[in-house]
Amino acid sequence: MTRHILVLCSGNVCRSPVAAALLAHELPGKTIRSAGLAAPVGAPADPMAIEFAAARGLDLSAHRAQHVTFAMCRAAELILVMEQRHAAELRRRYPQVWGKVFRLGEAAGFDIADPYRKPRKTFEAACIDVAAGVAAWARRIRELERSLVLPRQPAVHCE
């Protein structure tokens, strides 16, 4: 069972906070964290990320950017990154966690472009890609967990 998921991007102010909020909504009961490879520690989520999340009933107002650490990666059972270069950087920093690192856009085979300081249209496109990646991973995780649940065995009565 996947209980702990870590979502990473570059700055932890746009893509990963949105992805973490969407995943937490889609997968209640899971521990979802987000971080950045080069985060401006303590910075709030980008205003457009806050807007995108709010339009979906999610609140990013308390989010503060943080750097990824080895402890975060070790605790996670699944690490979702936005770009192939994020995966490569994690492999360089923490080779021990490589087997649990995947792109959020893996199912569709794409990276999710960084919208930081780009026009609203670019930001919205990135958030739509994030939402599509989250939907695909949430579905995949639920299906995997359903397949891992063993069917009930009939009770055996001994006399």
Side-chain angles (χ1 to χ4, degrees):
M1 297 264 207
T2 305
R3 293 178 305 268
H4 302 280
I5 301 170
L6 177 62
V7 186
L8 294 177
C9 67
S10 300
N12 192 220
V13 294
C14 298
R15 297 169 290 176
S16 59
V18 168
L22 290 169
L23 276 168
H25 179 73
E26 288 291 321
L27 300 168
K30 308 285 186 201
T31 300
I32 315 288
R33 295 183 73 184
S34 70
L37 291 162
V41 175
D46 184 280
M48 284 192 272
I50 292 170
E51 278 181 46
F52 184 86
R56 284 144 187 82
L58 305 170
D59 183 8
L60 292 182
S61 63
H63 174 80
R64 295 298 176 263
Q66 59 182 336
H67 281 293
V68 65
T69 65
F70 177 65
M72 286 178 189
C73 291
R74 187 179 57 221
E77 292 149 340
L78 174 64
I79 302 171
L80 297 172
V81 299
M82 300 298 145
E83 302 172 37
Q84 191 59 45
R85 69 182 180 92
H86 296 150
E89 178 59 20
L90 268 186
R91 182 179 200 174
R92 187 190 69 73
R93 289 186 193 183
Y94 313 120
Q96 314 85 317
V97 302
W98 183 245
K100 54 186 171 180
V101 178
F102 299 90
R103 284 183 302 169
L104 186 63
E106 192 82 29
F110 63 83
D111 282 349
I112 298 171
D114 190 353
Y116 187 63
R117 294 187 175 173
K118 301 227 168 84
R120 176 173 291 280
K121 192 172 190 170
T122 302
F123 202 98
E124 289 171 355
C127 285
I128 289 167
D129 286 346
V130 165
V134 164
W137 274 102
R139 185 172 45 257
R140 191 175 185 181
I141 290 166
R142 285 191 295 266
E143 287 170 1
L144 178 62
E145 290 181 351
R146 271 194 298 272
S147 73
L148 293 176
V149 175
L150 298 174
R152 291 186 82 166
Q153 299 295 321
V156 176
H157 297 284
C158 297
E159 295 184 28

